Amino acid sequence: MEKRLFTSESVTEGHPDKMADQISDAIVDALLEKDERSRVAVETLLTNGVCLIAGEVTTNAYVDMAKIARGVIEDIGYDGCGFHHEVSGVMTSIKEQSSDIALGVDSFKKSEGGKIVKEDLEHLGAGDQGLMFGYACKETPELMPLPIVLAHRLCQRLAEVRKKKIIKGLRPDGKSQVTVEYGDGVPSRIDTVLIAAQHDPDVKIPTMKKEIEKDVIVPVLKEYGYKIDSKTKIYINTTGKFVIGGPEGDTGLTGRKIIVDTYGGYARHGGGAFSGKDPSKVDRSGSYVARWMAKSIVASGLADKCEIQLAYAIGRPEPLSIYVDTYGSGKYSEEEIVEKVKKSFDLRPGMIIKELGLRRPLYRQCAAYGHFGRADLNLPWEKVRKIK
């Protein structure tokens, strides 16, 4: 039996990069809630005592971005442990989206007097050029790779035990990393679990490590049918302590955790981030529909694993290319599967938005712990469409 190791990582909602993603997506949600046609491209930077929000927005709505940012920071739990939702400074620098972009993307039906009477979603152009990937496999009930699923669940559980005070003295920042051993391409055991958990300075480190193993690692592995065996390596706070964290310790930026957001490196990534973008940007909507397609292919029994690539040009509705790879597991040829998905999915950005209902507040909830395979959320791109 051929043995191989694969590793994925995740971060908690209190990691500075994930804080930035959540703030950017909370702004997207707030704007879409008031004006579903809002065009949004918002970036957030967080550093010691400062939050800066910048980008391009075209909308008929007004939202208090500083208030939204402070609310997200408070929800995460930064109330004085190196960063504070009330006293940290929040600055905004927002301008209107370029009219050159709008020229190619926007598509409206107008009356004789020139008034917009209906948006023409069928001809809505892609908000940018780019390529994006979707992936699915049978390693977990979520049809996701096991390493990234476990990494996310560990970080979710780490946040849960902090907020519920099951483990006392934890702070919001944290990370996980999981190495899975594969035998002949199938997960066989957990080789390594790595946890970094920010904590108060007076915490007793040996006690905290035992609690994290007992209340975080063991129950998460058990949830997926795995356990710590005699060879499993457990590492918790390998530097010895982790008191200084969050934006006090590291600057956070929107879009710096794109592998965490997707498949943990197990599948390819087109390079475009999701957070801070309205769904006319195909970095977001194209990646969502690619996941929807890949998951539907696997769930429909057409393949055991599937990766899909889409490519778009700014201002053009139809994708430039569709690529399918089933890694030899397909019940049909890749060419046949491409034809099947073309018949089952309308890949024009406007129709993706319409079919998945993407112009609504969906995004902050998946800005931490992954956009795919979220059994805890009712995400439209995770619903299976049967393909014959």
Side-chain angles (χ1 to χ4, degrees), residues 12 24 28 49 104 200 226 235 248:
T12 66
S24 292
V28 173
D200 292 339
Y226 294 89
Y235 300 116
E248 181 188 22

Side-chain angles (χ1 to χ4, degrees), residues 3 17 22 28 41 59 62-63 93 96 107 148-149 164 185 220 234-235 264 266-268 270 306 347 351 365:
K3 294 183 179 180
D17 291 333
Q22 289 169 90
V28 173
T59 184
Y62 169 78
V63 299
S93 179
E96 192 173 18
S107 184
I148 189 63
V149 169
K164 292 182 177 179
V220 167
I234 305 294
Y235 300 116
Y266 204 90
R268 285 172 281 196
C306 180
L347 300 177
M351 303 314 292
Q365 63 181 339

Side-chain angles (χ1 to χ4, degrees), residues 118-261:
K118 185 180 180 183
E119 187 174 21
D120 185 6
L121 284 176
E122 291 188 12
H123 297 96
L124 185 79
D128 199 354
Q129 71 175 50
L131 54 124
M132 51 287 316
F133 289 90
Y135 182 80
C137 64
K138 290 186 173 181
E139 290 184 12
T140 64
E142 299 91 340
L143 301 185
M144 286 283 288
L146 180 64
I148 189 63
V149 169
L150 290 177
H152 283 323
R153 286 294 298 122
L154 287 167
C155 281
Q156 283 180 304
R157 179 62 180 167
L158 195 60
E160 183 182 9
V161 298
R162 168 177 63 87
K163 291 179 177 179
K164 292 182 177 179
K165 300 189 184 302
I166 296 170
I167 300 178
K168 294 179 174 61
L170 292 179
R171 291 181 172 184
D173 200 355
K175 302 177 78 172
S176 71
Q177 189 169 287
V178 179
T179 301
V180 174
E181 182 180 297
Y182 286 77
D184 292 335
V186 178
S188 58
R189 57 178 293 273
I190 307 304
D191 182 82
T192 308
V193 177
L194 174 64
I195 297 286
Q198 188 190 13
H199 58 82
D200 292 339
D202 58 350
V203 160
K204 294 180 179 178
I205 303 298
T207 301
M208 182 194 73
K209 288 184 176 183
K210 289 179 182 178
E211 290 176 332
I212 288 174
E213 182 171 333
K214 178 176 70 76
D215 294 321
V216 177
I217 298 173
V218 169
V220 167
L221 297 187
K222 184 178 179 182
E223 184 181 340
Y224 284 86
Y226 294 89
K227 63 181 180 180
I228 299 171
D229 62 36
S230 60
K231 295 182 180 180
T232 302
K233 297 177 284 293
I234 305 294
Y235 300 116
I236 299 170
N237 286 15
T238 51
T239 65
K241 67 175 183 177
F242 183 10
V243 175
I244 299 171
E248 181 188 22
D250 294 288
T251 297
L253 290 169
T254 300
R256 284 210 305 202
K257 287 292 176 281
I258 60 176
I259 300 303
V260 169
D261 283 341

Side-chain angles (χ1 to χ4, degrees), residues 32 35-39 58 108 116-119 359:
L32 290 176
D35 177 7
E36 66 173 19
R37 293 173 183 160
S38 295
R39 294 283 191 267
T58 301
F108 299 104
I116 295 172
V117 293
K118 185 180 180 183
E119 187 174 21
R359 284 180 167 170

